[in-house]
Each structure stands twice: as C-alpha cells, then as structure tokens.
Amino acid sequence: MADEFEPLIVAFCCNWCSYAGADNAGVGRRQMPPNFRIIRTMCSARIDPDFVLRALSKGADGVIVLGCHPADCHYIGGNYRARRRIALLRLVLEQYGFDPRRLKLEWVSASEGEKFQSTMVSFIDTIKALGPTPVKSAKTIAQEENAVAHAVKEA
C-alpha cells in the first residue's frame, strides 16, 4: 500500500556501545527498516533535551536514545544521568500533548546487534501504531497555505 504511514525516527546512539551495536547489526546483515536516522554522540548523557524537542518539532515521529548498559558507561555515570533526564523529558512531552511513547530509552551494548535490530523494529512498530506526529512540518504548512491561496484565487 503506497499511502501507508512510514514514520521517521531519530536515534541518538552513544559512540562506545549503541553505535557499535548498530554497526554490529549491519555487519550481521540483520534486516532493518530504513525509517531511522542515527545521530552519533559520545555518551547518552550528552543528549540535551533540546535535541529531542527540536527533532520532534522538525517532524520526527519518534526519538529513541540508546546508550551503554547501566554500570558500563565509559563516562562512569552518564547513562544514569540520561535515564533521569529522559524520565523528566517524558513528563514535559506529555504536558505538551505528545504521547510519551514517542520517546524511548534503551541500553544496547556493542555486541548486541540483534538487540539493536529488535529494539528499532519494535519502536518503529509502536510509532506506526501511534500514527504521524501531531506537529505539522514546515513543508506541510506551506502545502496547506498554497492550497488555500490557490482555492481563493480560483474563487
């Protein structure tokens, strides 16, 4: 079906574990949907809440943050800080009318290519069930304005 909703996912991956896990999934030739874009960060704690909010405001249908397993962070406690930050960010998103399931935090190590693949497929399925983002993209707004202007011109 050509008009089936295909979500756009932004995935923030820590350099040391999750990004390597994504690479492991690719090297292992695991089938993955093409719906996500990876942004590599040095640590999951380096993901500013503004990055998540900006991704959602620019039209991402979901954001997933992937980091090292607790107690395995290369920066000692970075993933604990990320966990607290994401929990608070979910509350903020809910206040703005977003379903908090549009933001996910998961731990994936470098050797867990299969887990990376299953996590991404599961998250994409969740976002498909939720539907498109409630935020209109600039392109959608421009198209709607053009349609209105065209209708007014013809009337």
Side-chain angles (χ1 to χ4, degrees), residues 9 19 27 74 93-94 96 123-124 138 143 147 153:
I9 307 297
Y19 190 81
V27 169
H74 283 66
L93 288 176
E94 202 166 10
Y96 283 106
F123 186 60
I124 289 168
Q143 287 172 340
K153 185 179 177 182

Side-chain angles (χ1 to χ4, degrees), residues 94-122:
E94 202 166 10
Q95 291 296 314
Y96 283 106
F98 279 86
D99 189 317
R101 292 176 292 175
R102 289 189 183 276
L103 175 61
K104 181 176 176 113
L105 174 66
E106 190 66 51
W107 312 125
V108 176
S109 75
S111 64
E112 294 179 317
E114 185 176 342
K115 182 176 181 184
F116 179 87
Q117 183 246 358
S118 65
T119 298
M120 293 308 296
V121 168
S122 170

Side-chain angles (χ1 to χ4, degrees), residues 3 12 18 20 25 30 32-33 56-58 62 74 87 95 105-107 110-111 138:
D3 61 347
F12 290 100
S18 304
R30 303 209 176 275
M32 289 201 283
L56 292 169
S57 75
K58 297 288 184 182
H74 283 66
Q95 291 296 314
L105 174 66
E106 190 66 51
W107 312 125
S111 64

Side-chain angles (χ1 to χ4, degrees), residues 7-27 30 32-44 47 51 55 60 62-67 108-109 112-113 115-121 123-124:
L8 174 62
I9 307 297
V10 175
F12 290 100
C13 294
C14 89
N15 180 61
W16 306 104
C17 287
S18 304
Y19 190 81
D23 188 48
N24 186 326
V27 169
R30 303 209 176 275
M32 289 201 283
N35 303 55
F36 62 94
R37 305 296 178 266
I38 293 178
I39 297 174
R40 188 178 190 174
T41 63
M42 291 308 287
C43 179
S44 57
I47 298 156
F51 299 164
V63 175
I64 186 167
V65 177
L66 299 128
V108 176
S109 75
E112 294 179 317
K115 182 176 181 184
F116 179 87
Q117 183 246 358
S118 65
T119 298
M120 293 308 296
V121 168
F123 186 60
I124 289 168

